[in-house]
């Protein structure tokens, strides 16, 4: 891997450095080895993912970013077992995984709550599948609903909830099944900016309070930096690991840090990786035709 | 735009009507056809192509109460006038197959209050009840096989491939074509009638239910998989509850379908039920009774659909589309 070129705050702040050292000492939860995925298509095969290698440690928060179509969803679906890999393997706690299972919880971008079940019954779903008694599942579910702050809505149907509330229930539902790792595929992508900011804060709070490892996909750089310990940057065609960045913004995180030097430096680095400056930048300019004399006294026409 | 928003609402595509307008227009959908019927029946010169004789005058073959074409009446009166005989008199009338609303209402009332004239005849409600039992028996038999089969076909590709091509072929065969065969196998009474409605409903039902099941959002199944659901749990805890409201709506439409096969079915073997009543009354030219019977079938259909739709809202409180419809 290339060395980081951004001014290394790792060296400047011993607290951050210690945190990362400690993190790397922890158990490896997810180990992705030489993962590749090819899709059949009209003209031969398309390589969606190639040689993906990374690990996540226990209680680590890893974000995956990359341009759209680079294979982020494909990657997370393979990890969840919803799609099979063409090559390589995925180890969970050292054991290879095949097929979906409750040990890898998933929160999707779209709303996938069961519309015919109330919030409480949605959260109970995973517990009942694993053979819990109804009484136990119910009290357990209520704890998770409390955790995401929706106890008042326990008996509502998903249709009666806002988008943000639905995703909170989805998080509670996934966590209630006691997964080793929580996989999240752009879970806040469909939410408005304000709700999204609130959800990010919620998620960090939940993550801080329970023993869970999170792999979070996003295409929002700020979101990735705000949430992650480390950021896996993918590049497109074929989807490959571009770089793995350690986020030096100290925890606990808060929105004020968006303008801290660490944050901005990381942001700049990610920007360079995802939008590399190219010579044919001119091509991006719109072919603007002036139909009218648009100039006025504020912004004169040339 | 906002100043004349209210008046233009009904010209905007897919905009919900305000409640008052909604009710008014619903009412109009029934009132308008009845109004047209009344106009045609009670206002002369809109149609009234015939003349009913009130006084035969000098025409030998005219009799009181006789119905004939206006042209015939006019030529005969002209002839009488030229021979200076007594002129015939008559009132404009509609053809016998279009009774006036009041006649139909009276027939409706009579059919429930006075005993049938001939011993072999049935009361209207007896015929109706017989038809209803036939339709519902056939629909029930069809449903208990087609619904589970459809769900299985919509869920498992192998079941779908094994079943649907044949069903697809069979549904193009017209159900009434099996009439003679059904009589040969099942006798002349209700057996073949139920069989025809069954054949007419069953094959469509399998395909429709299978398609509805296939429309279930795949991501719900994926979510269930990541929550540890396995094989049959997926079927019973995700697929079936997920498609139930849509499936219920399908059943409502298919029940209407079964009713349309009733008319053909009841002509097979010994005629019976409401169809027998209608054909019998038409033969005696009691068209008011015919209309009364047709009207009642419509009311039964509409009422049962309203009841089922209300029931659907109760059964699936979480389903927003059923709460609207
Ligand atoms: N089931 C599929 N069949 C064929 N191609 C697919 C399939 N799923 C994804 N792809 C292709 O793989 C690439 C990566 O898709 P995806 O993982 O959804 O990207 P992202 O989530 O990063 O936007 C895309 O080019 C997409 O067209
Ligand atoms: Mg995606």
């Amino acid at each position: 891997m290339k060395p980081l070129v951004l001014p290394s705050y790792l060296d400047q702040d011993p607290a951050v450095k210690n945190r990362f050292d400690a993190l790397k000492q922890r158990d490896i939860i997810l180990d992705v080895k030489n993962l590749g995925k090819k899709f059949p298509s009209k003209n031969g095969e398309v390589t969606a993912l190639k040689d993906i290698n990374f690990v996540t440690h226990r209680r680590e928060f890893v974000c995956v970013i990359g341009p759209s179509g680079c294979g982020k969803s494909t990657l997370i679906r393979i990890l969840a077992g919803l799609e099979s890999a063409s090559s390589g393997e995925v180890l969970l706690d050292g054991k290879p995984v095949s097929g979906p299972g409750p040990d890898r919880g998933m929160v999707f971008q779209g709303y996938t709550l069961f519309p015919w079940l109330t919030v409480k019954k949605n959260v109970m779903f995973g517990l009942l599948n694993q053979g819990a008694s109804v009484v136990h599942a119910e009290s357990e579910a209520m704890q998770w609903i409390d955790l995401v702050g929706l106890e008042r809505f326990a008996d509502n149907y998903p249709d009666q909830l806002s988008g943000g509330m639905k995703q909170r229930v989805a998080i509670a539902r996934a966590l209630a099944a006691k997964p080793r790792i929580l996989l999240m595929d752009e879970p806040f992508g469909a939410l408005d900016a304000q709700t999204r900011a609130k959800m990010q804060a919620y998620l960090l709070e939940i993550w801080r309070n329970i023993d869970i490892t999170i792999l979070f996909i996003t295409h929002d750089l700020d979101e990735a930096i705000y949430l992650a310990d480390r950021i896996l940057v993918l590049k497109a065609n074929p989807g490959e690991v571009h770089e793995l960045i350690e986020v030096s913004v100290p925890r606990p995180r808060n929105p004020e840090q968006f303008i801290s030097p660490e944050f901005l430096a990381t942001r700049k680095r990610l920007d360079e990786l995802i939008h590399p400056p190219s010579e044919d930048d001119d091509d991006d300019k719109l072919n603007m035709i002036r139909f009218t004399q648009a100039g006025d006294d504020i912004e004169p026409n040339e | 735009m906002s100043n004349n928003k209210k008046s233009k609402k009904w010209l905007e595509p897919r905009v919900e009507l305000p409640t008052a307008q909604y009710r008014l227009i619903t009412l109009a959908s029934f009132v308008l056809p009845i109004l047209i019927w009344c106009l045609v029946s009670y206002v002369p010169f809109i149609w009234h192509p015939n003349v009913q004789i009130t006084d035969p005058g000098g025409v030998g073959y005219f009799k009181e109460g006789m119905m004939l074409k206006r042209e015939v009446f006019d030529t005969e009166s002209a002839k009488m006038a030229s021979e200076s005989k007594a002129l015939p008199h008559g009132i404009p009338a509609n053809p016998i197959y279009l009774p006036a609303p009041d006649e139909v209402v009276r027939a409706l009332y009579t059919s429930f209050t006075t005993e049938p004239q001939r011993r072999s005849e049935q009361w209207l409600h007896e015929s109706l009840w017989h038809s209803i039992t036939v339709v519902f028996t056939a629909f029930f038999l069809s449903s208990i096989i087609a619904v589970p089969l459809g769900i299985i076909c919509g869920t498992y590709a192998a079941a779908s491939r094994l079943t649907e091509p044949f069903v697809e072929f069979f549904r193009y065969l017209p159900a009434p074509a099996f009439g003679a065969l059904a009589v040969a196998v099942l006798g002349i009474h209700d057996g073949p009638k139920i069989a025809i409605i069954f054949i007419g409903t069953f094959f469509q039902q399998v395909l429709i239910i299978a398609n509805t099941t296939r429309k279930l959002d795949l991501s719900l199944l994926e979510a269930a998989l990541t929550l540890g659901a396995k094989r049959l749990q997926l079927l019973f805890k995700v697929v079936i509850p997920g498609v139930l409201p849509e499936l219920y709506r399908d059943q409502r439409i298919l029940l209407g379908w079964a009713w349309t096969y009733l008319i053909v079915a009841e002509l097979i073997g010994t005629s019976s039920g409401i169809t027998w009543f209608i054909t019998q009354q038409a033969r005696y030219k009691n068209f008011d009774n015919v209309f009364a019977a047709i009207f009642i079938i419509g009311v039964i259909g509409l009422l049962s659909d309203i009841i089922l739709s209300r029931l659907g809202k109760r059964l699936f409180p979480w389903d927003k589309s059923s709460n609207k419809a």
Side-chain angles (χ1 to χ4, degrees), chain B residues 245-265:
Chain B
E246 269 305 315
L247 208 139
Y248 184 82
R249 270 192 284 280
D250 288 346
Q251 288 289 84
R252 269 169 59 195
I253 293 168
L254 283 157
L255 181 61
W257 217 312
W259 271 99
T260 63
Y261 277 103
L262 175 75
I263 304 298
V264 194

Side-chain angles (χ1 to χ4, degrees), chain A residues 77 80 82 100-106 108 111-117 122 125-130 157-159 173-174 177, chain B residues 216-230 233-234 237-243 245 316-320 323:
Chain A
R77 287 173 58 81
L82 297 171
D103 48 3
R104 284 146 292 141
M106 178 105 171
F108 301 80
Y111 305 123
T112 58
L113 295 180
F114 304 119
W116 60 92
L117 297 178
N122 261 287
F125 189 90
L127 291 159
L128 293 176
N129 282 335
Q130 291 168 43
Y157 288 102
D159 195 44
R173 180 178 70 170
Chain B
L216 180 76
D217 190 354
L218 191 62
S219 63
L220 292 181
L221 280 170
E222 292 185 338
L225 281 167
T226 65
L227 292 165
K230 296 256 149 59
Q233 282 176 329
L234 290 171
K237 292 172 88 174
V238 183
V239 176
I240 292 177
V243 299
F316 313 111
W318 50 271
D319 180 54
K320 51 178 188 274
N323 286 339

Side-chain angles (χ1 to χ4, degrees), chain A residues 274-291:
Chain A
I274 295 206
H275 309 117
S278 62
E279 297 88 54
D280 47 28
D281 242 6
D282 284 346
D283 289 357
D284 283 353
K285 282 224 178 87
L286 291 175
N287 277 322
M288 205 60 106
I289 300 168
R290 279 253 148 90
F291 286 110

Side-chain angles (χ1 to χ4, degrees), chain A residues 68-74 76 109 185-186 217 219:
Chain A
S68 108
C70 73
K72 303 185 294 293
S73 293
T74 308
I76 209 164
Q109 172 169 11
D185 187 358
E186 305 197 29
I217 287 183
H219 61 248

Side-chain angles (χ1 to χ4, degrees), chain B residues 13 47 54 57 65 74 81 87 99 115 129 143 157 163 196 204-205 208 249 271 274 278 281 289 301:
Chain B
W47 195 31
T54 49
D74 287 345
L87 288 179
E115 207 158 336
W129 182 245
S143 295
T163 317
I196 296 301
Q204 310 283 357
Q205 202 170 15
I208 287 175
R249 270 192 284 280
S271 297
I274 194 71
I278 290 174
Q281 295 301 320
N289 283 346

